[in-house]
Amino acid sequence: MKKLYTALLTSFDKEGYINEKGLREIIRFNIDVNQVDGLYVGGSTGENFLLDTASKKLIFKIAFEETNGAVDLIAQVGSNDLHEAVELAKYVTDLGYKTISAVTPYYYKFDFEEVKNYYNTILAGVETDMIIYSIPFLTGVSLSVDQFAELFENEKIKGVKFTAADFYLLERMRTRFPDKLIYAGFDEMLLPALSLGVDGAIGSTFNVNAKRARATMEAVEKRDLDQAFLEQSKSNDLIEAILANGLYNTIKIILQEEGVDAGYCKEPMKKPSVEQIERAKEIYRTLV
Ligand code: NAY
């Protein structure tokens, strides 16, 4: 059965500090209402790359406590500070997480040996599974099939979160690594990714659109491509509107309309304008 993971948002107060009650409500909503199979904690959607170590740890701890084994968890521990990544990997493992993930190191033009050393160093001290977080459009780091093969030589690396629109690469990966897990990372391209045999998806919009994404998956399982197209097309009406209005702010406002205290984004991300809030509410009324 293919898995649907929500990329977990973080609820912040106006000053940019974690709103624990709100974070717990987002988690509960994903378990109880969205009924997803798991949560991807500490990813882009969680605004992780804006946070200090203590805040990252707090989010991992709250997510672990609040889910209490009800759904799978993946902890994204990657960081350009490799010491921090190692520390977070140990921290989440001690909490009880069974799977970690790490974004490819970014900003500097690391060569492949450096990337490989980064993953092996994170994994050296822990006994968890690893899902590589590949998101070239934000990191500027693209890995080839051969480079993935070299990373996968470390048997703890079980797969990849593939946030890219390169379907040729995705097909080559699926064919070359039938036993590795590949999770689609672009919600608006879930259907083409499913058609190439991904094992599931991890996405931000599943915070508010999980049922439709699940319907797309089920239609593909049944080989009902007309239905799958219809579901994806409805999802994309929503995703297009969300992206045009500001991704994380709009998802948070939609959650607020659902009664979830999703809070604010953290600076340097902007607070939503009055117009953005009104548009997000309209999106909720008409497209969710
Ligand atoms: C993450 O780490 O939270 C993710 O990468 C989840 C995947 C999302 N990517 C980003 C950068 O937010 O769900 C996608 C994405 O928001 C969605 O497809 C809209 O483009």
Side-chain angles (χ1 to χ4, degrees):
M1 197 54 200
K2 299 191 188 293
K3 296 216 170 172
L4 194 66
Y5 286 84
T6 294
L8 188 65
L9 294 156
T10 307
S11 178
F12 294 99
D13 66 20
K14 270 199 171 133
E15 282 70 46
Y17 294 104
I18 293 165
N19 165 6
E20 175 166 345
K21 171 183 157 286
L23 176 56
R24 286 183 187 274
E25 286 183 23
I26 298 172
I27 295 167
R28 286 255 59 88
F29 187 78
N30 273 295
I31 299 172
D32 301 337
V33 178
N34 290 337
Q35 300 189 330
V36 292
D37 301 302
L39 300 176
Y40 188 81
V41 187
S44 313
T45 305
E47 298 171 61
N48 171 79
F49 302 106
L50 307 179
L51 298 178
D52 60 22
T53 312
S55 303
K56 292 177 188 179
K57 285 184 175 173
L58 181 60
I59 292 168
F60 288 135
K61 183 162 171 289
I62 291 169
F64 195 80
E65 274 175 20
E66 190 62 42
T67 52
N68 194 23
V71 295
D72 288 353
L73 289 175
I74 302 175
Q76 195 297 120
V77 301
S79 167
N80 268 359
D81 175 358
L82 186 49
H83 289 167
E84 185 194 39
V86 167
E87 181 182 335
L88 290 174
K90 291 210 175 93
Y91 179 77
V92 297
T93 304
D94 289 347
L95 279 175
Y97 281 76
K98 300 281 181 280
T99 309
I100 61 174
S101 179
V103 70
T104 50
Y106 53 93
Y107 190 80
Y108 299 102
K109 299 288 171 206
F110 299 107
D111 68 26
F112 180 65
E113 282 313 305
E114 290 166 332
V115 173
K116 192 170 155 187
N117 176 60
Y118 165 91
Y119 283 103
N120 290 337
T121 303
I122 294 171
L123 284 167
V126 291
E127 287 309 316
T128 46
D129 293 345
M130 161 72 81
I131 302 291
I132 293 168
Y133 181 10
S134 176
I135 181 161
F137 96 101
L138 289 182
T139 58
V141 181
S142 298
L143 297 170
S144 68
V145 188
D146 286 340
Q147 288 173 332
F148 274 111
E150 228 179 295
L151 293 176
F152 288 154
E153 282 169 14
N154 184 329
E155 289 190 351
K156 291 178 189 164
I157 303 186
K158 302 294 185 198
V160 56
K161 172 161 124 60
F162 187 92
T163 307
D166 186 340
F167 293 106
Y168 174 48
L169 176 62
L170 179 56
E171 182 281 324
R172 291 291 78 197
M173 301 267 293
R174 181 71 297 165
T175 300
R176 178 107 168 245
F177 312 117
D179 300 328
K180 293 293 177 188
L181 295 167
I182 306 179
Y183 294 115
F186 271 133
D187 317 351
E188 54 276 46
M189 297 175 225
L190 175 61
L191 174 54
L194 287 167
S195 78
L196 292 172
V198 293
D199 298 284
I202 300 172
S204 65
T205 63
F206 306 152
N207 280 283
V208 294
N209 192 44
K211 296 225 164 88
R212 234 178 248 138
R214 179 80 77 187
T216 308
M217 281 181 169
E218 285 171 358
V220 172
E221 288 284 298
K222 288 190 214 135
R223 297 284 182 268
D224 186 347
L225 277 190
D226 288 343
Q227 186 61 29
F229 182 86
L230 208 71
E231 298 293 350
Q232 185 68 62
S233 186
K234 276 192 261 166
S235 289
N236 286 358
D237 289 343
L238 172 63
I239 295 170
E240 184 181 39
I242 289 176
L243 287 172
N245 197 50
L247 177 61
Y248 303 133
N249 270 321
T250 303
I251 297 176
K252 285 181 178 184
I253 295 162
I254 292 173
L255 280 174
Q256 268 145 18
E257 293 301 284
E258 293 277 7
V260 177
D261 180 13
Y264 297 91
C265 290
K266 184 177 191 302
E267 283 181 353
M269 296 215 193
K270 281 186 297 207
K271 302 276 179 293
S273 65
V274 174
E275 293 75 31
Q276 249 182 317
I277 295 171
E278 284 316 308
R279 175 67 185 135
K281 290 181 179 175
E282 187 186 344
I283 292 170
Y284 172 66
R285 284 194 305 273
T286 55
L287 294 171
V288 172

